[in-house]
Structures are given as structure tokens and as C-alpha cells.
Amino acid sequence: YCRLVFGDSDVLPGLVVDRFGTTVAVQVSLAGMEQALPEIISALRVVVGPTTIVLKNDGKLRAGEGLDSYVRVEQGQLLDGGLVELEENGTRFLAPIMTGQKTGWFYDHRLNRERMCHYVRGKRVLDVCSYIGAWGVQAARAGAPARPAVAASGRPPSRGG
């Protein structure tokens, strides 16, 4: 469970690939990467061997590149309404990779959430723009008193465990 490709940071601008066990979510935001998508998918099949590949290409940057917006399962199938399980810092979550924000999870904040856990025992924590509760749930597991989370999307955060 990790981010496999960090876009610009990996010298692959416009490409993000997240791994959720045997499922990978691919997000392409630039026309050049869209043209290379068949090769990217082929490489993922060889290197990662996922059972499911989701193309989560609905980001706002695509319009500026003249690209269509779409989300589809390229390979395999998703069960449980498109929710995939992940574990981060000892906490389990369900990420909505078909309908959620970005690729379904913000793996790029994993280390920040891990660092936060060292500081929050007994502290009050407010998880604003919580999405599915990654910050607040992990803070609670680290000993912060449970507090309401505020979801910017208008949907309540899912339950982590």
C-alpha cells in the first residue's frame, strides 16, 4: 500500500500511481502521459502484476491539456462498491477509488500522518477537510481524544479501524 509514482518528483510529470494491495489506481493529467498510457499500463502489468487497474483520469488539469475526463476499470473488477482496503501506519481504511478524490487516497501525506502520531497523545486534534478521516482516525489511535472531523466534500469520513 503505497504511492508507486509521485509525478514530477519521479521525473514523470502528469503521472501518479497508487497501489492498494493488488489494485493500482493510475491518474494521468498531461497529454504526453496520456499518449504513453498503453505503455504505462503494460509496464505496471509486468512490474506490479495487479489484478485490477483503475484509470482515475478526472482531474481538473486534464481540461487545460484538451483531454477528456474519465474514470474506468481498465483491468479486473472492483467489489464492495469500488472501495479498496488499505493499511497506513497500523490503521485500516476503505478508500473510494472510483468516486473519491484524486486516486482515492492521499498517500503523499503518509509520512506526515506518521509523524503527527508522535505528538498527539492527550492533545485535542481537529481534522479539517478530512476526506475519509486519515488524520483524525490516526490521531485517535495515537491517543488523541476523539473529535468530530470536518469533510470539505460534504460526505462524512469513512470509519478506519
Side-chain angles (χ1 to χ4, degrees):
Y1 306 99
C2 63
R3 176 149 293 168
L4 295 173
V5 178
F6 280 85
D8 290 347
S9 298
D10 287 329
V11 195
L12 294 167
L15 177 64
V16 173
V17 180
D18 284 350
R19 183 175 189 169
F20 301 88
T22 61
T23 298
V24 295
V26 178
Q27 184 177 54
V28 171
S29 58
L30 299 179
M33 282 297 171
E34 185 77 13
Q35 289 177 346
L37 194 53
E39 290 82 6
I40 293 165
I41 291 169
S42 178
L44 287 169
R45 287 179 176 139
V46 170
V47 175
V48 179
T51 58
T52 305
I53 299 174
V54 173
L55 302 179
K56 187 71 166 61
N57 294 329
D58 60 350
K60 294 177 184 174
L61 291 175
R62 291 180 62 84
E65 292 281 313
L67 298 172
D68 291 334
S69 178
Y70 64 92
V71 177
R72 73 170 184 258
V73 177
E74 178 70 18
Q75 171 182 305
Q77 64 182 8
L78 289 172
L79 305 174
D80 301 321
L83 296 173
V84 293
E85 188 173 309
L86 69 111
E87 183 173 327
E88 181 181 278
N89 304 322
T91 306
R92 291 178 30 219
F93 293 92
L94 294 173
I97 65 173
M98 292 296 287
T99 60
Q101 299 174 24
K102 308 284 184 176
T103 59
W105 187 254
F106 291 88
Y107 275 119
D108 50 331
H109 290 290
R110 180 181 58 83
L111 293 175
N112 293 326
R113 288 187 287 259
E114 181 181 18
R115 287 182 193 108
M116 171 207 53
C117 290
H118 298 285
Y119 300 103
V120 298
R121 179 169 297 286
K123 304 280 198 273
R124 292 173 40 177
V125 175
L126 177 61
D127 186 357
V128 177
C129 302
S130 68
Y131 180 47
I132 60 176
W135 292 89
V137 171
Q138 290 186 54
R141 281 189 54 114
R147 295 279 179 224
V150 180
S153 67
R155 286 179 276 164
S158 70
R159 304 182 104 191

